[in-house]
Amino acid sequence: MRKFTQSLALAALLLSTSAYAQNVAPATSVAAKAAKVPWLYEGSDVPVDDSWTFGVLPNGLRYAVKKNDVPAGQVSIRVRIDAGALHENNDEQGFAHLIEHLSFRGSTFVPDGEAKRIWQRFGVTFGSDSNAQTTPTQTVYKLDLPNATPEKLDESVKIISGMIRNPRISPNALNAERAIVLAELRENSGAQMVYSDALRQHAFQGQRLANRSTIGTPETLQASDALRLSAFHDRWYRPENAVVVMAGDMEPAHLANLVQKYFNDWKGKGARAPEPAFGDPTPQGTPTRVLIEPTLPTTVSIAYLRPWRKVDDTIAYNEQLLIDALALQIINRRLEVQARSGGNYLFAEIAQEDISRTADATLVSVTPVGDKWEAATRDVRAVIADAIATPPSVADIEREKTLFGNALRTMLDSYPFEAAAKQADDIVNAVDIRETVAAPKTVVQVYEGMKDKFTPQRLLASTQKLFMADATRLMLSSPAPIADADNRALAALNAVVSANTTARLSETTLGFAALPKLGAPGKLVTEDTVTSLQMTRLELSNGVCALLYPNKAESGQIRVLVRFGRGYQAVTPDNGSLLWAGPIVLPENGIGKLKRTEIDQMVNGRRIELNFSIDDDAFQFGANTRPDDLADQLTLIATKLAHPGWDPAPVERAKALATSGYASFEMSATSVLQRDLEFLLRNNDPRWKAAAPAEVAKVDAAKFEAYWKPLLAQGPVEVLLFGDFDKAAAVAALEKSFGALSPRAPMPVAAAARDVRFPAPTAVPLRLTHRGARDQAAAVMAWPTGGGIAGIREGRQLETLAAIFRDRLFEKFRAEQAASYSPDMAANWPVDFNSGGYLMAYTQVKPTDVDRFFAFADSVAADLIANPVSADELQRAVEPTKQAIERAASGNTFWLNQLKGSTYQPERFVALGKLYSDYNSVTPEILQALAKRYFVKDKAWKLVVAPQPANADAASSR
């Protein structure tokens, strides 16, 4: 039952050629088979979610359609084909994914590349609104169509039906798209792929999945031909293997008619092929494997594998899933508490997954501190041993039941504004795992009806079963060779461990009265209404300002953002070396003398969060809460500001995490960019520098406190509340919490802190190296622009210029030349700095194609300078942006991000008011003028990340 699975994941978070007939029969001439039980619910006693309409066409194609107006005007389309990498023969590896690519390239109704252009004109953003995904068990085609008029929707379903039924699998199309897939393979290869391939091959020894990478191999891709690809398509792309799902702002009858109109006369070729046997886990084979990968941190993975079998998705089955999930959550909480207190591992987690209809698996993942992998494995197994030997206490169970109850309540509250795309994906995923979907009301009713079934003995039996297996396998990944590694890994898996009974949590309960006390409540002194937006700006007697936007856009949810101090502007570049540690440590280091584990006990089962981030102009604590919890949510954050905790354990954990992960920045060209690009584009400003191990080693708890304590005391303080709340109650809660803080004067910003500069132009590209694949390189070319709220209109116009540049990169450098899978272009206009903005083109390429990319980028820039863009090209850039804005504006996150900082910078209201018109008023002449102003060849900055020379040592790529 799909909704049960989602609620469990949410609970954890509260703590990853057939011919086509040109003359289509009219919709009214074909009727779906009548069915007493919808096809998705056959063999199940789960109540049908009657918000969906299910049907089966005479040719066997199944469909599900639903009206959902979130976001307004959009229709989400999914077509699932029951064929993935596991359906390929050995010499067909990669064929399912390659056909996915070819289907988007061209088909019955559209010539090569035209589908993308048509959908762009409709407002579709390529890559996010239109995409496809191939997995071991399925291929799914996706389209989220904004502003879906009946005409646009009809054209879109028509195009998709052609893609599915009759993609253009010609030698020319294959040669072009195969080169792109090989570029994708090249760009994704490296340490992470080596690791995932090794883990899959080891865990699933003797099974089909072991040797099935979705993207295929260079050998099978190179050997592919149009005839064999067409044979694969004909074998698996047939109506009996297809499911069409549509959900959106249109009546179900209309959606169902479109399915019938474009799919009813589809017929498969020949007899339907049986699904190949995926195989069962077997104890034969090697129980352990050691992988040496210098750029990955040490990890231990243990898999307890059982055969996967299709089940009847009954209520009783789902009750057992909830019991299993609660049992694992008890263990995971114990593991996390042990990690927080300091020990031999940084993280450890246990999950149960049904993997690719291949195995029912219990998966244990461990990230040790340094090279303490044996001790870390022993410690984790000791916690598991205790859970297997002794039932959980009633207090343990009640704690997790409260958490589950909160998760289910959140799901129920969220369902009315859950996006149609999400619900369409839920149907597809349910089909893939051979289960059903349930309305949240059903899930809650089932849960409420089984509360007396969460007994200690049943939880114990569940835990014991989760760690029984037909095959148990361990893989150790280490950055350096380990003496006698194979024998030591086997010993780590099989050694007898003593149950760790001390890992169980205290049964003492804490309430909010345990928090340090705040001062006397403040008073509301000013209140101004932002009439056009129905928002209210408040100021309290201590100077704290707030922006309140009560609305029902997301019923039962409130987005909270508390901003204080000056963020990146709070320190000068020469004093920015410890900013990196804040987002890792501050949510974990407690409040007053209370540690994070005690705070977790305090808020257990409630929607109360404590997330920390750094913005250009402020530090931020954020949360997503609900009306009943708003007052305590505000109290928690206010108390954190007034009485921060300085528990040293999170500092040491952050140091170990930063140190163990640093080498991973060298595993590929893109990971080097992840580490260094922001730092380099800000002219080597230390505030944006990733901390190297030598710098991390110098930090201790005392230094962290000395650095962050004054920053946490900075003003001004701004609170934003957007969502479903009562205004009067929110004002009262603000007075008692943030109104009780001592006054904080606005922090003056030093000139050096406000000065962000773009680097000097490079006659010769700056060169960095990585330690990954020899055929990987990255190239970056950037031009300086500007910044500041006053120039935001120009910043938005530059986004349109970047979108056109990006589209030309895609259509020429990728689609035609196949030089790269992922070329891109970005425009950055920092609103809170008056300089430092840029336009940036970047890509991954072969090392031999770096100069080719720079030459191509130069030619695009030169053409944009010399020639105005066409009206069609402009429309295909602007329309997706406008539609994205309209859809985003239906949720509170959009408004929050646009208006943060507005209580002391009212220009943001003005900028928001002009958002849509700034994009809509862009002309070819404006873009040409911007290109002339900013694409100045002598001001360009270039960077190349290339593989280290073959004889290079393991030195840093800096």
Side-chain angles (χ1 to χ4, degrees):
M1 189 189 298
R2 192 65 195 160
K3 282 290 179 182
F4 275 99
T5 307
Q6 293 165 354
S7 67
L8 306 187
L10 180 56
L13 285 175
L14 294 175
L15 249 152
S16 160
T17 45
S18 59
Y20 187 85
Q22 296 294 326
N23 297 316
V24 183
T28 55
S29 67
V30 177
K33 296 177 182 176
K36 294 182 180 180
V37 178
W39 55 265
L40 188 64
Y41 293 85
E42 292 173 356
S44 172
D45 61 357
V46 173
V48 175
D49 183 349
D50 56 12
S51 66
W52 286 93
T53 298
F54 297 91
V56 183
L57 297 183
N59 58 10
L61 181 142
R62 295 163 291 168
Y63 68 85
V65 295
K66 174 178 181 174
K67 181 174 176 58
N68 178 334
D69 60 1
V70 181
Q74 176 173 297
V75 173
S76 293
I77 305 168
R78 305 291 185 264
V79 180
R80 178 190 182 274
I81 300 296
D82 198 36
L86 286 172
H87 296 79
E88 300 162 347
N89 296 323
N90 286 333
D91 61 348
E92 296 175 328
Q93 291 184 52
F95 278 25
H97 176 249
L98 186 51
I99 286 175
E100 170 213 308
H101 273 248
L102 287 162
S103 299
F104 264 97
R105 190 174 189 98
S107 60
T108 297
F109 294 117
V110 290
D112 191 281
E114 188 59 28
K116 178 183 79 72
R117 301 183 193 106
I118 292 172
W119 283 329
Q120 284 177 323
R121 296 179 193 115
F122 291 174
V124 170
T125 300
F126 181 79
S128 57
D129 292 333
S130 62
N131 211 332
Q133 180 184 34
T134 304
T135 74
T137 54
Q138 65 179 358
T139 304
V140 183
Y141 298 83
K142 304 181 179 184
L143 176 68
D144 295 331
L145 182 67
N147 191 23
T149 64
E151 296 76 19
K152 291 178 181 178
L153 183 59
D154 187 285
E155 180 68 12
S156 295
V157 177
K158 176 182 175 182
I159 291 172
I160 291 175
S161 71
M163 291 166 50
I164 301 300
R165 298 174 56 166
N166 191 18
R168 188 170 288 108
I169 308 177
S170 66
N172 288 341
L174 171 58
N175 289 337
E177 206 61 37
R178 174 170 46 210
I180 294 171
V181 173
L182 287 169
E184 180 183 4
L185 176 60
R186 182 187 70 245
E187 293 175 19
N188 290 331
S189 66
Q192 197 60 54
M193 180 177 281
V194 169
Y195 174 83
S196 60
D197 285 349
L199 185 59
R200 186 186 70 253
Q201 291 161 7
H202 176 61
F204 303 108
Q205 295 173 68
Q207 295 181 269
R208 197 175 182 91
L209 184 60
N211 298 308
R212 286 296 185 278
S213 173
T214 301
I215 200 168
T217 70
E219 294 77 18
T220 57
L221 293 172
Q222 291 285 11
S224 64
D225 58 57
L227 186 63
R228 293 169 60 231
L229 278 165
S230 295
F232 183 89
H233 180 273
D234 292 346
R235 190 189 321 147
W236 300 114
Y237 279 63
R238 47 191 303 128
E240 311 97 303
N241 291 341
V243 172
V244 178
V245 183
M246 286 198 273
D249 198 0
M250 200 160 286
E251 292 302 318
H254 185 83
L255 300 175
N257 282 342
L258 287 174
V259 177
Q260 295 169 10
K261 179 179 180 180
Y262 287 111
F263 290 96
N264 73 80
D265 66 339
W266 183 19
K267 294 179 175 61
K269 284 191 173 182
R272 185 181 185 183
E275 185 172 82
F278 297 166
D280 288 337
T282 171
Q284 281 75 38
T286 307
T288 62
R289 177 172 179 175
V290 179
L291 174 69
I292 305 302
E293 178 46 62
T295 60
L296 292 180
T298 302
T299 56
V300 176
S301 300
I302 306 174
Y304 299 85
L305 303 171
R306 300 166 291 273
W308 179 88
R309 294 290 183 267
K310 185 182 183 304
V311 298
D312 288 331
D313 190 17
T314 62
I315 290 176
Y317 166 73
N318 284 281
E319 287 179 342
Q320 186 59 47
L321 286 183
L322 283 168
I323 290 169
D324 291 346
L326 193 141
L328 289 180
Q329 188 58 33
I330 289 173
I331 304 174
N332 280 327
R333 191 187 289 269
R334 294 172 183 174
L335 290 170
E336 176 60 16
V337 170
Q338 293 284 302
R340 284 177 179 166
S341 61
N344 294 309
Y345 61 89
L346 292 169
F347 299 102
E349 185 176 23
I350 305 173
Q352 184 282 326
E353 292 183 26
D354 290 338
I355 301 175
S356 301
R357 306 205 296 270
T358 293
D360 167 14
T362 303
L363 306 174
V364 182
S365 58
V366 184
T367 303
V369 174
D371 59 358
K372 299 178 181 178
W373 62 271
E374 287 165 301
T377 304
R378 181 187 63 243
D379 290 352
V380 171
R381 291 188 60 224
V383 173
I384 294 171
D386 177 53
I388 291 173
T390 307
S393 69
V394 172
D396 279 332
I397 297 171
E398 291 302 316
R399 183 188 301 115
E400 306 311 326
K401 283 172 61 179
T402 301
L403 184 72
F404 272 29
N406 179 65
L408 294 173
R409 179 181 171 187
T410 298
M411 184 178 68
L412 185 61
D413 290 345
S414 302
Y415 192 66
F417 54 89
E418 188 173 73
K422 165 73 165 52
Q423 295 180 357
D425 287 336
D426 288 344
I427 293 285
V428 167
N429 292 332
V431 175
D432 188 43
I433 63 175
R434 308 311 199 230
E435 296 184 6
T436 67
V437 295
K441 181 173 68 174
T442 298
V443 179
V444 172
Q445 288 173 346
V446 171
Y447 177 73
E448 293 292 339
M450 63 170 293
K451 285 189 174 181
D452 60 346
K453 298 180 181 180
F454 290 100
T455 64
Q457 287 302 321
R458 187 161 180 182
L459 266 293
L460 177 63
S462 170
T463 304
Q464 292 169 339
K465 187 175 180 180
L466 285 165
F467 290 96
M468 294 177 181
D470 291 28
T472 303
R473 302 212 162 91
L474 177 149
M475 190 174 93
L476 164 66
S477 177
S478 170
I482 299 171
D484 197 25
D486 291 328
N487 288 328
R488 289 166 65 182
L490 187 61
L493 176 63
N494 293 330
V496 176
V497 295
S498 300
N500 181 1
T501 59
T502 66
R504 297 184 171 230
L505 275 65
S506 168
E507 297 188 6
T508 303
T509 58
L510 288 174
F512 268 67
L515 286 173
K517 303 304 178 185
L518 295 170
K523 296 294 182 181
L524 176 64
V525 294
T526 64
E527 178 177 348
D528 301 310
T529 301
V530 185
T531 307
S532 61
L533 297 175
Q534 299 180 327
M535 297 179 184
T536 304
R537 180 193 181 278
L538 310 176
E539 186 172 347
L540 304 180
S541 52
N542 60 352
V544 170
C545 293
L547 184 65
L548 275 56
Y549 182 27
N551 65 84
K552 296 287 187 179
E554 298 170 341
S555 177
Q557 290 199 46
I558 308 164
R559 303 194 182 273
V560 179
L561 188 65
V562 177
R563 312 178 84 238
F564 64 96
R566 296 301 189 190
Y568 281 110
Q569 298 180 23
V571 297
T572 57
D574 59 0
N575 192 32
S577 60
L578 257 179
L579 287 177
W580 67 270
I584 306 173
V585 176
L586 289 174
E588 301 290 328
N589 68 346
I591 297 175
K593 295 184 178 180
L594 294 173
K595 296 186 177 182
R596 173 61 191 262
T597 298
E598 294 169 307
I599 295 171
D600 283 350
Q601 289 179 270
M602 187 184 300
V603 304
N604 185 63
R606 305 180 65 187
R607 193 76 183 269
I608 296 178
E609 302 170 356
L610 195 64
N611 305 310
F612 181 78
S613 61
I614 306 175
D615 206 350
D616 284 348
D617 67 326
F619 302 109
Q620 301 181 151
F621 280 109
N624 190 7
T625 189
R626 60 190 184 197
D628 292 350
D629 294 328
L630 177 60
D632 283 343
Q633 175 71 77
L634 294 174
T635 296
L636 188 76
I637 299 177
T639 310
K640 175 72 175 181
L641 288 177
H643 304 283
W646 303 108
D647 180 6
V651 176
E652 294 306 312
R653 193 182 188 189
K655 288 172 60 179
L657 176 64
T659 301
S660 67
Y662 192 79
S664 299
F665 286 129
E666 298 184 338
M667 68 179 173
S668 68
T670 52
S671 58
V672 171
L673 292 180
Q674 180 185 357
R675 182 192 66 192
D676 291 341
L677 186 57
E678 194 170 16
F679 167 67
L680 294 171
L681 286 171
R682 285 178 164 83
N683 201 30
N684 297 351
D685 191 320
R687 290 175 289 181
W688 286 276
K689 183 181 181 182
E695 297 160 342
V696 171
K698 299 174 185 177
V699 181
D700 58 26
K703 290 181 179 178
F704 180 87
E705 180 178 354
Y707 186 91
W708 275 98
K709 190 171 186 177
L711 296 180
L712 288 174
Q714 286 185 357
V717 176
E718 176 187 62
V719 183
L720 296 98
L721 304 179
F722 285 47
D724 184 7
F725 61 89
D726 176 74
K727 177 182 168 184
V731 171
L734 284 168
E735 289 176 327
K736 291 179 181 178
S737 55
F738 286 91
L741 297 177
S742 299
R744 297 181 176 207
M747 173 73 183
V749 179
R754 196 183 295 275
D755 185 23
V756 174
R757 299 185 181 183
F758 186 82
T762 52
V764 177
L766 178 66
R767 186 178 182 86
L768 302 177
T769 60
H770 67 85
R771 298 166 63 190
R774 306 283 308 153
D775 59 355
Q776 282 186 356
V780 179
M781 187 173 185
W783 300 262
T785 57
I789 188 71
I792 187 62
R793 183 182 186 187
E794 186 167 289
R796 292 164 178 167
Q797 294 168 343
L798 287 171
E799 289 179 25
T800 303
L801 183 64
I804 290 171
F805 201 121
R806 181 186 311 120
D807 203 55
R808 293 188 183 186
L809 283 173
F810 179 90
E811 296 215 345
K812 299 293 184 180
F813 202 69
R814 170 181 153 150
E816 288 186 12
Q817 301 181 22
S820 171
Y821 175 71
S822 56
D824 209 345
M825 177 69 168
N828 175 274
W829 187 275
V831 173
D832 300 300
F833 294 102
N834 291 325
S835 60
Y838 52 82
L839 289 158
M840 180 181 67
Y842 56 100
T843 193
Q844 294 185 69
V845 287
K846 295 178 182 177
T848 54
D849 283 338
V850 165
D851 289 339
R852 178 181 174 188
F853 172 74
F854 287 142
F856 185 81
D858 270 332
S859 69
V860 174
D863 186 71
L864 290 169
I865 291 170
N867 302 298
V869 302
S870 69
D872 179 66
E873 192 173 23
L874 179 58
Q875 180 192 5
R876 291 190 289 110
V878 171
E879 195 61 29
T881 301
K882 290 162 53 181
Q883 294 300 329
I885 292 171
E886 290 186 12
R887 286 178 286 174
S890 65
N892 282 311
T893 300
F894 168 83
W895 299 97
L896 192 71
N897 289 332
Q898 292 292 324
L899 293 174
K900 58 186 180 181
S902 61
T903 63
Y904 51 81
Q905 195 177 26
E907 300 96 316
R908 293 178 187 262
F909 286 108
V910 178
L912 176 58
K914 297 179 179 179
L915 176 66
Y916 194 85
S917 63
D918 283 349
Y919 291 108
N920 202 39
S921 61
V922 175
T923 65
E925 293 74 22
I926 289 173
L927 294 180
Q928 187 176 18
L930 290 172
K932 290 178 179 178
R933 185 182 313 158
Y934 291 119
F935 287 137
V936 179
K937 196 166 186 177
D938 292 342
K939 293 185 179 180
W941 177 87
K942 298 178 183 178
L943 168 68
V944 173
V945 185
Q948 284 186 354
N951 59 351
D953 59 20
S956 169
S957 64
R958 280 279 168 90

